[in-house]
Amino acid sequence: MPRTPVLTGQVIGQAHYATRAVLERELAAMGLTFFQSLALNAVAAEGGAVEHAPLVDRMTGALKVDESAVQATIDELSAAGLLRTLPSGGSGLALTDAGRARQRQVADGVAGIVARLYADIPAAELEVAGRVLTLLKQRADAELATA
């Protein structure tokens, strides 16, 4: 019987890349990239409209990428008609009707993936994993903040 591995960066990375590959396959069928799906979700989480700078900050902080990558994603979504600039003269962005529909499609796809991949994992184990991974993220973020 194979030994259960101890939690390491390698185990976390392998799980991340495997699950992300499943998601990216589904997103590709929708004509979206991973970053685009995250941007749509971030705008939807704010009620469908957000100021530009907080969206960029949220994505650069979560993805650990530079602003140019996030701006390219925003530009792609705008060109595709999924995001629009608010007419208020500020720097607001909002989901279009097509953007709302695509974000719902993404959310439904993610829900299906979660249902399949997490199906028989006991809730208590998911809670422990969630706590450990949250702690690791907090520690890494703190270390990055001091660099």
Side-chain angles (χ1 to χ4, degrees):
M1 182 166 164
R3 197 180 133 213
T4 301
V6 173
L7 185 66
T8 64
Q10 183 178 18
V11 170
I12 293 167
Q14 289 172 344
H16 163 77
Y17 286 115
T19 56
R20 182 168 166 176
V22 171
L23 174 60
E24 286 183 341
R25 182 177 61 192
E26 191 139 338
L27 292 172
M30 297 176 203
L32 291 174
T33 67
F34 179 68
F35 282 16
Q36 290 169 344
S37 72
L38 294 181
L40 290 175
N41 285 338
V43 177
E46 296 299 322
V50 65
E51 287 296 313
H52 183 271
L55 175 61
V56 171
D57 289 346
R58 179 177 178 170
M59 291 186 65
T60 57
L63 297 169
K64 310 299 185 241
V65 297
D66 62 42
E67 289 183 18
S68 65
V70 175
Q71 187 57 53
T73 299
I74 292 168
D75 293 345
E76 293 161 0
L77 291 170
S78 297
L82 301 176
L83 280 181
R84 65 181 174 87
T85 302
L86 292 173
S88 63
S91 62
L93 297 166
L95 294 171
T96 63
D97 290 342
R100 263 190 282 292
R102 189 65 57 88
Q103 190 279 326
R104 280 192 299 272
Q105 186 181 15
V106 169
D108 290 345
V110 168
I113 292 167
V114 169
R116 292 189 308 275
L117 298 183
Y118 293 33
D120 59 352
I121 302 173
E125 289 187 32
L126 292 172
E127 288 176 23
V128 170
R131 281 195 305 273
V132 170
L133 293 173
T134 299
L135 178 59
L136 290 172
K137 181 192 176 302
Q138 290 168 344
R139 289 178 178 179
D141 285 346
E143 193 163 310
L144 290 169
T146 62

